[in-house]
């Protein structure tokens, strides 16, 4: 089971990483903050000060088509915002 699924690269997350040295990851639903901290420290070689987590609810959508109304939803995810120590950075674009 992989703990870190992928980094979240949005405009808000990029601004947060540049200004406040906080990075956002999509993580497995069953992990806790201690496991996330160990996974980030081992994967990127940085020291983590604080981990904040949030469960993101699924979005529900409906479409009107010829055959009737089609409803669906996206998957629920868990996001972790990781605060790094002063001087540590993660470069997502060169670590691929």
């Amino acid at each position: 089971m992989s703990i870190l699924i992928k980094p979240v690269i949005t405009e808000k997350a990029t601004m947060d990483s540049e200004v406040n040295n906080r990075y956002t990851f999509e993580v497995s639903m069953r992990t806790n903050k201690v496991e996330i901290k160990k996974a980030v420290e081992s994967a990127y070689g940085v020291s983590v000060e604080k981990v904040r987590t949030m469960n993101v609810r699924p979005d529900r959508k409906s479409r009107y088509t010829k055959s009737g109304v089609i409803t669906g939803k996206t998957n629920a995810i868990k996001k972790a915002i990781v605060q790094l120590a002063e001087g540590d950075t993660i470069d997502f674009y060169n670590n691929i």
Side-chain angles (χ1 to χ4, degrees):
M1 177 178 79
S2 99
I3 295 172
L4 299 176
I5 297 172
K6 65 181 180 179
V8 175
I9 301 175
T10 59
E11 188 174 350
K12 185 175 182 179
T14 304
M15 182 63 71
D16 202 24
S17 66
E18 292 172 356
V19 175
N20 298 322
N21 205 19
R22 289 191 291 230
Y23 296 89
T24 306
F25 294 94
E26 185 177 326
V27 296
S28 175
M29 290 290 284
R30 296 180 183 268
T31 58
N32 58 22
K33 294 181 180 185
V34 176
E35 294 172 341
I36 295 168
K37 179 179 178 179
K38 289 178 184 177
V40 171
E41 286 178 345
S42 66
Y44 294 103
V46 294
S47 57
V48 175
E49 287 184 351
K50 192 171 193 177
V51 177
R52 298 174 180 95
T53 60
M54 65 184 83
N55 291 316
V56 180
R57 64 175 169 75
D59 290 333
R60 300 192 183 276
K61 297 180 181 181
S62 62
R63 290 187 308 217
Y64 297 98
T65 62
K66 289 181 183 179
S67 61
V69 179
I70 297 174
T71 59
K73 68 178 182 70
T74 60
N75 293 331
I77 62 169
K78 186 173 190 176
K79 287 198 290 189
I81 301 173
V82 178
Q83 173 79 39
L84 297 184
E86 190 70 32
D88 287 341
T89 58
I90 297 174
D91 190 9
F92 292 128
Y93 302 107
N94 290 334
N95 287 340
I96 295 175

